[in-house]
Amino acid sequence: METNENTLATTTTDHRDGAHRGRAHRAHRALGSTGPTVFPLGLGCMGMSALYGTADRAESVATIHAALDAGVTLLDTGDFYGMGHNELLINEALRTAPAAAREQALTSVKFGALRTVEGGFTGYDGRPEAVKNFLAYSLQRLGRDHIDIYRIARVDPAVPIEETVGAIAEAVQAGHVRHIGLSEVGADTLRRAAAVAPIADLQIEYSLISRGIEAEILPTARELGMGVTAYGVLSRGLISGHFTRDRELSPGDFRGMSPRFQGENLDRNLDLVDALRKVAEGKGVSVAQTAIAWVLSRGEDIVPLIGARTRERLAEALGAMEISLDAGDLAAIEEAVPEGSAAGDRYPAAQMAHLDSEH
């Protein structure tokens, strides 16, 4: 990574007053008032098994090893990523990692998605008995006696969130789960869940082009003492600086159905990336690093999940922690990618309907 002298000093945002203070992004961050303290970036492992086309298993394991070696502690997965493939992959990576790295690893697991043999999604199951069932299988696949953060991937509309969270709370009491998380839920659901048991963090999409949480959800999470693990910080590669207009996607790649990657939407969104590239080049860093650094700057209670599938992309993402964004930089980024400027929804309509956070 090219740097200039300003990129070596880092800043973060104090979320209470918006002031930028000279603190290193490398300082570990607490997931809420009750959750674990983790490395400032987590590794999202989904793409190593599903939804972005074919992945190289050996390179995936090597990437997890490299992340752990760099100090990354949080490995995020879902039991439905590749129908269990991702959990087995993490199992392999942890089994073959040095003992010290293996011991520092924390697992964050989403559950509840119902799938077909063909890979389709048919809904979510948040019944207490289903929670126990999903958990049993995940523990077996991961080869661990507990999961550090456990959360339903999407709210089951047929089951009150209090019942789902209550079942996870029982697993905490039994020692099978350390902390309870939530995923893609709105402010009201945050409050209802927090009334049942302590919630460590909310996992939700948050990036330069997905800022919907800022109005109500993020303030509510902070009020309730919850951290945020932000996924989609590069918008599935859209704002990574590596996605091109003529790129051909492989069969099964989620982006082939994503509204933001279609036709005129893609052109308009890549225009935003071109504008962001000018800001990044002015600092001697990459587009991806700039986008990740922006999320890091939004508060010390936010932990971006980076979806690197290779060691090269991992190294680039880790470099974001060395970037300082001063007031001028932030203003330039906002000018390049204004709030609400993205073209297209972040999911197809059928999947948007499952997002409690959007209702």
Side-chain angles (χ1 to χ4, degrees):
M1 177 185 77
E2 294 182 44
T3 59
N4 58 35
E5 62 182 4
N6 292 326
T7 65
L8 299 179
T10 58
T11 41
T12 58
T13 303
D14 184 319
H15 64 256
R16 299 183 188 281
D17 59 15
H20 297 279
R21 311 195 185 279
R23 299 174 183 168
H25 283 323
R26 286 191 175 274
H28 281 45
R29 298 183 169 197
L31 289 183
S33 58
T34 63
T37 298
V38 300
F39 191 78
L41 294 176
L43 182 62
C45 300
M46 180 187 74
M48 297 176 181
S49 297
L51 299 180
Y52 293 127
T54 304
D56 183 304
R57 189 179 187 91
E59 180 61 24
S60 296
V61 170
T63 301
I64 294 174
H65 286 171
L68 295 172
D69 185 60
V72 172
T73 52
L74 190 64
L75 303 179
D76 184 77
T77 184
D79 63 9
F80 50 94
Y81 293 166
M83 283 73 155
H85 178 280
N86 206 237
E87 291 179 319
L88 292 169
L89 178 71
I90 291 173
N91 182 334
E92 178 183 344
L94 292 178
R95 280 190 292 105
T96 55
R102 182 167 59 249
E103 291 169 4
Q104 79 181 19
L106 303 176
T107 53
S108 168
V109 179
K110 291 177 290 297
F111 70 89
L114 304 176
R115 304 198 64 179
T116 66
V117 174
E118 295 74 24
F121 288 86
T122 60
Y124 297 88
D125 192 344
R127 295 171 301 145
E129 56 268 39
V131 174
K132 296 174 182 178
N133 179 76
F134 288 127
L135 175 59
Y137 279 89
S138 283
L139 290 171
Q140 178 68 24
R141 284 188 292 259
L142 288 166
R144 295 170 77 84
D145 63 4
H146 72 275
I147 290 170
D148 294 285
I149 310 174
Y150 201 51
R151 70 187 88 238
I152 190 166
R154 301 287 186 266
V155 173
D156 180 348
V159 179
I161 192 64
E162 290 86 352
E163 293 184 17
T164 303
V165 169
I168 305 175
E170 291 180 5
V172 172
Q173 293 174 349
H176 304 313
V177 171
R178 293 285 188 266
H179 304 281
I180 305 171
L182 295 169
S183 175
E184 284 289 356
V185 304
D188 179 64
T189 304
L190 286 176
R191 295 186 186 282
R192 289 169 53 198
V196 175
I199 307 296
D201 73 313
L202 166 66
Q203 186 172 122
I204 196 163
E205 186 167 356
Y206 187 40
S207 73
L208 272 168
I209 64 171
S210 296
R211 298 178 60 174
I213 71 170
E214 292 178 345
E216 184 179 14
I217 295 173
L218 183 56
T220 301
R222 286 171 167 165
E223 174 193 335
L224 297 171
M226 300 177 193
V228 170
T229 42
Y231 77 88
V233 295
L234 296 179
S235 300
R236 300 162 184 83
L238 181 59
I239 60 171
S240 67
H242 303 300
F243 202 92
T244 60
R245 286 173 169 79
D246 59 355
R247 179 169 174 175
E248 293 187 9
L249 298 173
S250 59
D253 192 315
F254 164 82
R255 292 169 293 192
M257 300 180 295
S258 173
R260 289 183 174 176
F261 288 83
Q262 308 305 310
E264 292 184 1
N265 286 351
L266 178 62
D267 287 336
R268 289 171 57 189
N269 291 330
L270 289 181
D271 285 344
L272 298 175
V273 177
D274 289 340
L276 184 62
R277 193 186 308 277
K278 295 178 181 178
V279 179
E281 289 176 347
K283 292 188 67 63
V285 299
S286 75
V287 175
Q289 289 167 338
T290 304
I292 296 169
W294 181 87
V295 178
L296 280 166
S297 78
R298 307 310 289 175
E300 295 176 5
D301 53 351
I302 298 174
V303 175
L305 298 174
I306 52 176
R309 299 199 296 168
T310 66
R311 286 167 285 181
E312 179 183 9
R313 291 288 182 256
L314 172 69
E316 179 184 25
L318 291 172
M321 296 188 299
E322 308 299 334
I323 298 174
S324 168
L325 296 178
D326 61 24
D329 295 325
L330 292 170
I333 291 170
E334 294 275 353
E335 182 177 357
V337 187
E339 182 177 0
S341 58
D345 288 333
R346 54 196 182 100
Y347 285 98
Q351 294 186 36
M352 288 291 288
H354 288 293
L355 298 177
D356 183 77
S357 55
E358 294 287 341
H359 304 297

